[in-house]
Amino acid sequence: MRTRNKKQLGWFGAAVLALAIIGFVYLVYFIAYSWYHAGRTRAVAGIPEPIQRDVTSETIKFEKNGWDVDMKYICSYDIEALVLHTKEYSVTDNLADAISPLDLLLGWGKVAETNEEIDYGWEHGVRKGGTPDANEIRLAPFGGDLEKFVESFSNNHLIPAEKNVEKDLLKVRKGDHIRIRGYLVNIDGVRKKDGQGAYWYSSTVRNDYEGTGCEIIYVTNIDWIDD
């Protein structure tokens, strides 16, 4: 009886097959990751304004990702909100990126209530977030008053108090109804490698926007609210 030898794949074929498998696995992971973080657009009525209270001034010193950091508590902060948009950041030489892995665009009041009815076009830039155009349609629920609109959402730079808090924060998706507790803080830092100083200070009012309108929150707790 005649037999035929099986064709050997060879090292080149094996390498191509391995790369194809790796590429396929990466593609599946990327699609799943993108789908998960895309979240959903929805509305939630009845969310109250954030609560902040003055606290005794306290400065915490710590080191993180090449920076010596002085963090000063400004106010305690308790915010319940609808997540309007999210943006993650990788660690860089920048002070903000060294200590804050995530920005959340959060809404309450009329913004959260009308978020499905009106296309606000929420988006993030680099360490900023909002709507590209506060036009007549988007201002309608606020009687055309830009300040009332601005007082119903904010972009928030989040500094996790510990690793478990960071893991939870990175699970947050657009459309989640969450509650974050912690402190509004001011940050001063010195980069170890070259002694370069930098600062990063939080907003403490609801009616500012653009360059100085973001809250910097040292997050001690995060909870999801079931609707």
Side-chain angles (χ1 to χ4, degrees):
M1 183 174 64
R2 298 177 63 186
T3 61
R4 293 191 304 172
N5 293 329
K6 291 183 179 179
K7 186 177 181 180
Q8 298 298 313
L9 191 60
W11 70 267
F12 180 77
V16 170
L17 179 60
L19 288 173
I21 293 172
I22 292 171
F24 177 75
V25 171
Y26 177 81
L27 179 62
V28 170
Y29 171 80
F30 177 78
I31 292 172
Y33 180 89
S34 299
W35 173 84
Y36 177 83
H37 282 271
R40 56 183 172 141
T41 298
R42 68 174 185 135
V44 178
I47 300 180
E49 294 182 0
I51 300 169
Q52 68 182 60
R53 296 187 174 92
D54 292 338
V55 295
T56 302
S57 180
E58 181 180 357
T59 299
I60 307 297
K61 296 180 180 289
F62 61 92
E63 299 178 14
K64 190 163 186 180
N65 294 320
W67 285 82
D68 289 322
V69 178
D70 288 354
M71 181 177 67
K72 184 178 181 180
Y73 291 172
I74 305 301
C75 305
S76 65
Y77 203 58
D78 186 339
I79 179 171
E80 178 188 341
L82 175 67
V83 179
L84 307 172
H85 203 270
T86 70
K87 186 172 177 65
E88 294 182 18
Y89 295 88
S90 300
V91 174
T92 70
D93 278 348
N94 180 278
L95 173 62
D97 295 343
I99 63 176
S100 173
L102 179 70
D103 278 5
L104 291 182
L105 191 57
L106 301 175
W108 54 90
K110 282 287 187 182
V111 160
E113 182 180 341
T114 60
N115 193 51
E116 279 186 307
E117 173 188 342
I118 294 174
D119 179 10
Y120 287 106
W122 304 113
E123 63 182 18
H124 268 109
V126 178
R127 294 296 179 181
K128 61 183 180 180
T131 178
D133 180 17
N135 57 33
E136 183 177 348
I137 293 174
R138 290 168 179 161
L139 293 180
F142 310 89
D145 190 325
L146 177 61
E147 185 165 304
K148 288 182 179 178
F149 173 54
V150 169
E151 288 174 349
S152 295
F153 73 93
S154 64
N155 187 47
N156 301 266
H157 311 308
L158 305 182
I159 303 172
E162 59 182 16
K163 201 65 180 177
N164 286 338
V165 173
E166 181 172 351
K167 288 179 180 178
D168 285 342
L169 287 174
L170 293 175
K171 295 175 185 176
V172 173
R173 297 188 297 165
K174 182 176 75 171
D176 286 354
H177 183 184
I178 62 173
R179 181 186 180 190
I180 287 174
R181 285 169 286 174
Y183 299 90
L184 299 183
V185 295
N186 288 344
I187 302 291
D188 291 279
V190 176
R191 192 162 54 199
K192 288 175 175 292
K193 72 176 185 179
D194 57 10
Q196 177 69 46
Y199 67 90
W200 203 27
Y201 290 176
S202 178
S203 168
T204 58
V205 296
R206 303 285 79 78
N207 60 356
D208 56 355
Y209 56 98
E210 295 184 347
T212 60
C214 298
E215 279 66 39
I216 304 173
I217 311 175
Y218 181 64
V219 181
T220 57
N221 296 90
I222 176 171
D223 297 294
W224 277 258
I225 298 174
D226 294 328
D227 297 309

